[in-house]
């Protein structure tokens, strides 16, 4: 299944002013990178968000959030968020900021 391009349009509009974000097709979806590190993306109809492990554990308590696992091996600090977890632009922006903020803590690739 291809990723939902309407989500891509929403993300692109929200991050239009963010410098240094690069978009790449990955995982059968699309990912957004900052300094070579993935910060968020789209897989099918879900949002992918990277964050630190402590924040990820807290976010996993939410009903709409699950570990990022498309290969049978969940990735620590990576979340998949169903659309119900970001119904409005403010909600979606909050997730994107979370991923971008985390990516800023990583060394450049």
């Amino acid at each position: 299944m291809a990723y939902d391009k309407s989500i891509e349009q929403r993300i692109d509009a929200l991050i239009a002013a963010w410098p240094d974000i690069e978009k790449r097709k990955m995982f059968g979806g699309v990912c957004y990178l900052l300094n070579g590190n993935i910060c968020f993306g789209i897989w099918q109809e879900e949002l992918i968000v990277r964050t630190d492990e402590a924040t990820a554990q807290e976010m996993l308590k939410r009903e709409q959030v699950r570990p990022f696992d498309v290969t049978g091996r969940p990735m620590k600090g990576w979340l998949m968020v169903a659309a119900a977890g970001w119904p409005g632009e403010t909600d979606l922006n909050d997730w994107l900021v979370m991923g971008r903020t985390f990516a800023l803590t990583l060394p450049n690739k």
Side-chain angles (χ1 to χ4, degrees):
M1 175 179 192
Y3 69 93
D4 186 336
K5 297 206 185 319
S6 68
I7 301 169
E8 181 179 19
Q9 292 171 346
R10 288 177 64 191
I11 290 173
D12 289 349
L14 287 170
I15 68 165
W18 291 5
D20 303 323
I21 297 285
E22 176 188 353
K23 187 168 40 171
R24 260 191 229 162
K25 298 213 186 245
M26 303 172 83
F27 307 115
V30 64
C31 290
Y32 294 78
L33 295 84
L34 178 62
N35 300 322
N37 294 294
I38 296 172
C39 41
F40 48 82
I42 308 158
W43 188 77
Q44 295 183 359
E45 296 178 349
E46 294 184 276
L47 184 65
I48 303 166
V49 181
R50 280 187 76 188
T51 190
D52 62 89
E53 288 187 45
T55 301
Q57 289 304 313
E58 191 62 32
M59 295 297 109
L60 285 168
K61 294 176 184 174
R62 297 182 182 192
E63 184 178 328
Q64 307 88 352
V65 182
R66 64 187 177 103
F68 178 71
D69 179 7
V70 296
T71 64
R73 292 185 67 189
M75 298 171 70
K76 291 182 180 179
W78 292 57
L79 305 169
M80 294 182 76
V81 187
W86 36 274
E89 299 315 285
T90 300
D91 306 297
L92 178 56
N93 189 67
D94 289 346
W95 288 107
L96 303 180
V97 168
M98 180 186 299
R100 181 178 183 272
T101 300
F102 176 70
L104 286 170
T105 70
L106 300 171
N108 293 358
K109 286 190 175 180

